[in-house]
Amino acid sequence: KTLSIIQEACNNIKKRHGIDIDAEAIPLDDAKTYALFQEGRTIGIFQFESSGMQRYLKELKPTNIEDLIAMNALYRPGPMDFIPLFVDRKHGRKPVEYPHPLLEELLKPTYGIMVYQEQIMQCAQIIGGFSLGSADILRRAMGKKKMDVMEQQKLIFIDGAREKGIEEKKATEIFDIMAQFAKYGFNRSHSAAYSVLAYQTAWLKAHYPAEYMAAVLTNNKNDIKQINFFLRECQQLGVALLGPDVNESDLNFTVNPEGAIRFALSAIKGVGGSAVEQLLENRAESGHFASLFDLTRRVNLRAVNKKCLEALAQSGAFDRFELDRAVYIQPSAEGQPHLVERAVKHGQAYQQSLAANQNSLFGALDDAVETADPDIPEVEPFTLPVKLRMEKEVTGIYLSGHPLDDYRLEMDTFTSCTLAEVPKYKGTGRQLHLGGMVATAQHRTTKRGTRFAIVHLEDFSGELEFALFGEDYLKFKHFIDLDGTPLFLQGSYQPRFRNAEELEFKVSSMMLLENVREEKAKRFTVQVPLSGITPELLEGLEQVCVDHPGKFTLKVCLMDDVDRYSVDLQSRRFRVDGSNRMVERLEQDLKLSFSLQ
């Protein structure tokens, strides 16, 4: 899979920049790539993307390929205990000690720690005079704790060391160190191969983030959870993901000339492989499509059928034609065909006339066929929530925004963690404050006739499933009746009913997310950097406060980034509403940060 990602990323780079990248020729001393590892920005990097690995990379701050090879070998059960010592020795906080001066050259790359199986073997060769074949027998005996074989080999090792002038006590000490590390030693050749591959992916991500992430998305396009996971990484990198476009999207996720990733046509549900092939071939031969009618006149409508065109419309692939999505799939009156149906009939009629004309006596002289485009019906435009719901139906994700976008301030201020992070609190007993929207709520009946519900709550990061039984079901049922309802809830992991050994998330309180700001917030604080204060900024801030009167106490936090101090000032003149519009003006017009308390 990783090799496929590398190849796909190189293809993306070639398409956009005209540069041929040979992954095998990527230099192993690139500072920008090591900076990526040092900062733990390794999402999507082979072997190095777990949160634990990211934490250790930030501590280690690797500066060469040997550091990566060693970390890859150490980050597994057993040798993981030696990572803190490895890090301390690299940064000089602890001295690098070698079991014997003869082993310094061998153990220097790993700061005196035996990390690899090969080091165990070479140590037996250097100190005990073993052949590499005999050393491998010793390594296997150590790894499998074959005491009888080890005792026999230990005597041979001590004799070999004595011949090199090493005392029996020191030889025994070295042998015991080898035995300790042999239990954990990883194959260096494997770790090196993995780490070089990881380095290549990191180099691509560091130098061509959009092209690399497009390749990662392509290779995970059938896994919606992974797509959402990597989309968050795209946001962190400042790489935009644009929805599908019938004139710009390709089979896979690609990067457009402006550096944004375009959604893959093949990742839209209802758009089959033959339809994508037909669209791309026709576009390559005859240029961009001017309208839906132009498209249906040109393509094979058996491959690009009505169902396919509806899915394209729902996904936003026709948005460039500057018609609301409702126009394509919403009938103008009951019983009337919608625009996609009419476009298909229009295209079929055109193609039939064209075929008949070409087969006629005069077809060779003039095979042009004139057909007028159908009228565009007047329909009620889709609201944003409807558009988002349709996008998710056909792509699996929200592309034009997120239903919770209007509640980001509440989510940032009043929630304990994201829904994706909730499981890590299992067993802690901690009460969590969570925000999200009802993705689905399944109302069911027990064998005793009692009603209950299984609820899936969704936020920007993931989902949380919980059940509502008995009084909780009656108390909270009205909150979960409609899919898409934004909720704020409190709860914790508790023993499951009739199975105390299993924990489940139990909700203790619930309210509408739209009421949280009004009920829980008291203060609205605007952060103003001293270096950015100008008369224009102050006038703009004053105007925003005048335009948005409300109940919240206004505080201004003056921040000095140079000397690292701040002063809080409370306004006696203004109280503000802290509305989304006010937030938008502070953020976009004045470039100021803010918070609710």
Side-chain angles (χ1 to χ4, degrees):
K1 182 177 181 179
T2 303
L3 292 171
S4 296
I5 289 172
I6 290 174
Q7 185 60 57
E8 183 75 16
C10 291
N11 291 343
N12 291 339
I13 294 166
K14 175 70 173 174
K15 283 179 190 173
R16 184 179 174 213
H17 301 283
I19 300 171
D20 287 307
I21 300 291
D22 179 3
E24 297 299 319
I26 288 173
L28 294 176
D29 59 354
D30 181 65
K32 197 171 183 180
T33 304
Y34 286 112
L36 184 143
F37 282 110
Q38 291 163 9
E39 294 163 13
R41 294 184 288 113
T42 51
I43 296 294
I45 302 302
F46 178 62
Q47 294 276 308
F48 285 86
E49 67 179 345
S50 71
S51 58
M53 177 64 92
Q54 289 175 33
R55 186 178 73 252
Y56 283 128
L57 287 170
K58 289 176 185 176
E59 294 175 9
L60 177 66
K61 300 199 179 303
T63 52
N64 55 62
I65 194 67
E66 289 294 340
D67 286 347
L68 298 181
I69 295 170
M71 184 58 80
N72 201 4
L74 287 168
Y75 192 74
R76 44 198 89 240
M80 194 180 286
D81 295 339
F82 297 103
I83 292 178
L85 177 61
F86 185 87
V87 172
D88 285 341
R89 285 187 174 183
K90 174 178 172 64
H91 294 295
R93 292 190 288 269
K94 289 186 179 178
V96 177
E97 298 174 351
Y98 301 101
H100 192 277
L102 289 174
L103 299 175
E104 181 173 346
E105 186 178 346
L106 172 65
L107 299 180
K108 196 171 185 178
T110 53
Y111 310 106
I113 300 169
M114 291 187 193
V115 174
Y116 313 114
Q117 293 175 358
E118 289 89 338
Q119 287 175 320
I120 309 295
M121 294 165 60
Q122 288 173 288
C123 186
Q125 184 187 31
I126 293 168
I127 301 295
F130 281 53
S131 69
L132 285 178
S134 300
D136 193 40
I137 293 171
L138 172 61
R139 176 194 63 78
R140 280 183 281 171
M142 287 177 164
K144 295 179 180 178
K145 298 181 181 178
K146 292 183 177 180
M147 301 309 296
D148 55 336
V149 179
M150 282 173 63
E151 285 301 319
Q152 181 185 4
Q153 295 291 321
K154 185 175 184 179
L155 295 174
I156 299 171
F157 182 84
I158 291 171
D159 287 342
R162 189 180 295 116
E163 290 179 12
K164 298 193 177 187
I166 300 171
E167 296 179 359
E168 181 177 339
K169 182 180 178 183
K170 189 63 178 177
T172 301
E173 183 185 312
I174 294 170
F175 188 89
D176 291 342
I177 292 172
M178 289 166 56
Q180 177 191 8
F181 283 98
K183 292 183 290 186
Y184 307 128
F186 189 69
N187 187 309
R188 173 180 158 81
S189 61
H190 287 182
S191 188
Y194 291 161
S195 299
V196 168
L197 198 60
Y199 179 91
Q200 290 170 355
T201 60
W203 187 92
L204 289 166
K205 183 179 179 182
H207 290 271
Y208 299 97
E211 289 79 4
Y212 181 74
M213 292 309 298
V216 170
L217 290 167
T218 292
N219 279 269
N220 289 276
K221 65 184 178 185
N222 296 321
D223 187 334
I224 294 304
K225 284 189 177 178
Q226 285 293 89
I227 287 282
N228 278 299
F229 176 71
F230 289 122
L231 284 184
R232 289 193 294 278
E233 180 64 7
C234 288
Q235 291 170 350
Q236 291 292 320
L237 294 169
V239 176
L241 175 73
L242 304 177
D245 184 314
V246 73
N247 279 342
E248 194 170 72
S249 291
D250 214 316
L251 175 71
N252 295 323
F253 288 84
T254 51
V255 183
N256 71 4
E258 288 74 41
I261 297 175
R262 270 289 177 197
F263 198 86
L265 290 176
S266 60
I268 304 172
K269 296 172 189 173
V271 180
S274 58
V276 174
E277 187 179 337
Q278 173 65 208
L279 288 168
L280 296 180
E281 282 183 5
N282 196 287
R283 199 173 75 195
E285 290 172 7
S286 307
H288 285 179
F289 301 106
S291 66
L292 174 61
F293 306 122
D294 179 44
L295 186 151
T296 56
R297 285 195 294 265
R298 287 164 49 179
V299 300
N300 182 339
L301 292 169
R302 285 191 294 275
V304 188
N305 57 28
K306 185 183 81 166
K307 182 183 176 184
C308 166
L309 293 170
E310 288 172 342
L312 288 168
Q314 286 177 286
S315 72
F318 297 149
D319 284 2
R320 70 159 51 236
F321 301 145
E322 298 183 352
L323 295 176
D324 191 85
R325 295 177 199 178
V327 172
Y328 296 104
I329 54 178
Q330 190 87 347
S332 57
E334 191 174 341
Q336 292 294 315
H338 54 55
L339 192 63
V340 164
E341 289 182 79
R342 294 163 64 191
V344 169
K345 290 178 181 176
H346 168 79
Q348 288 170 338
Y350 175 86
Q351 291 176 18
Q352 288 168 3
S353 298
L354 185 62
N357 194 42
Q358 287 173 338
N359 292 329
S360 72
L361 179 62
F362 302 104
L365 299 176
D366 182 9
D367 57 9
V369 175
E370 292 294 335
T371 54
D373 289 350
D375 294 332
I376 305 297
E378 290 187 13
V379 300
E380 192 71 26
F382 284 144
T383 61
L384 181 59
V386 171
K387 283 170 65 174
L388 292 173
R389 190 182 70 244
M390 288 185 170
E391 281 179 358
K392 190 165 188 189
E393 283 175 8
V394 295
T395 67
I397 59 175
Y398 299 112
L399 291 165
S400 301
H402 194 284
L404 294 174
D405 280 342
D406 287 342
Y407 304 100
R408 281 185 183 272
L409 191 55
E410 286 85 349
M411 303 277 282
D412 292 342
T413 305
F414 299 109
T415 60
S416 310
C417 62
T418 66
L419 297 185
E421 295 169 329
V422 170
K424 75 180 183 184
Y425 293 99
K426 188 178 284 190
T428 65
R430 179 176 168 182
Q431 284 285 316
L432 300 176
H433 294 85
L434 306 173
M437 54 178 273
V438 178
T440 60
Q442 300 170 343
H443 298 264
R444 300 176 183 174
T445 306
T446 66
K447 292 178 181 178
R448 296 183 178 181
T450 308
R451 297 284 287 165
F452 72 100
I454 304 294
V455 182
H456 285 87
L457 199 70
E458 179 184 276
D459 70 357
F460 303 106
S461 69
E463 279 193 357
L464 173 70
E465 179 183 289
F466 60 88
L468 295 174
F469 291 97
E471 290 184 9
D472 288 341
Y473 177 76
L474 296 175
K475 188 165 49 172
F476 301 133
K477 176 182 175 296
H478 62 289
F479 287 116
I480 61 168
D481 276 341
L482 290 175
D483 289 354
T485 303
L487 297 177
F488 180 80
L489 53 90
Q490 184 174 338
S492 63
Y493 278 101
Q494 297 182 18
R496 189 183 289 273
F497 181 62
R498 292 180 180 168
N499 186 358
E501 293 181 3
E502 238 183 278
L503 297 176
E504 65 177 351
F505 191 83
K506 184 173 172 60
V507 175
S508 56
S509 69
M510 191 181 291
M511 65 187 294
L512 294 174
L513 196 54
E514 63 193 51
N515 296 334
V516 169
R517 196 179 307 189
E518 188 71 20
E519 293 191 21
K520 291 187 174 290
K522 294 182 175 64
R523 266 193 323 273
F524 190 94
T525 302
V526 181
Q527 285 99 33
V528 180
L530 283 176
S531 58
I533 293 179
T534 63
E536 292 77 20
L537 178 75
L538 295 178
E539 288 172 13
L541 180 57
E542 182 179 24
Q543 191 59 53
V544 168
C545 296
V546 168
D547 293 344
H548 294 277
K551 72 161 195 170
F552 297 130
T553 299
L554 174 67
K555 286 181 68 176
V556 175
C557 176
L558 295 177
M559 301 180 301
D560 187 331
D561 292 335
V562 177
D563 293 328
R564 300 283 178 187
Y565 68 82
S566 63
V567 177
D568 287 338
L569 306 172
Q570 184 168 313
S571 172
R572 294 182 180 179
R573 179 181 168 195
F574 293 112
R575 296 178 76 83
V576 296
D577 63 11
S579 63
N580 286 338
R581 178 57 187 144
M582 178 181 175
V583 163
E584 186 180 317
R585 290 177 66 183
L586 289 172
E587 207 168 38
Q588 296 181 7
D589 299 345
L590 303 180
K591 311 299 181 192
L592 293 176
S593 301
F594 45 83
S595 62
L596 276 175
Q597 289 91 19

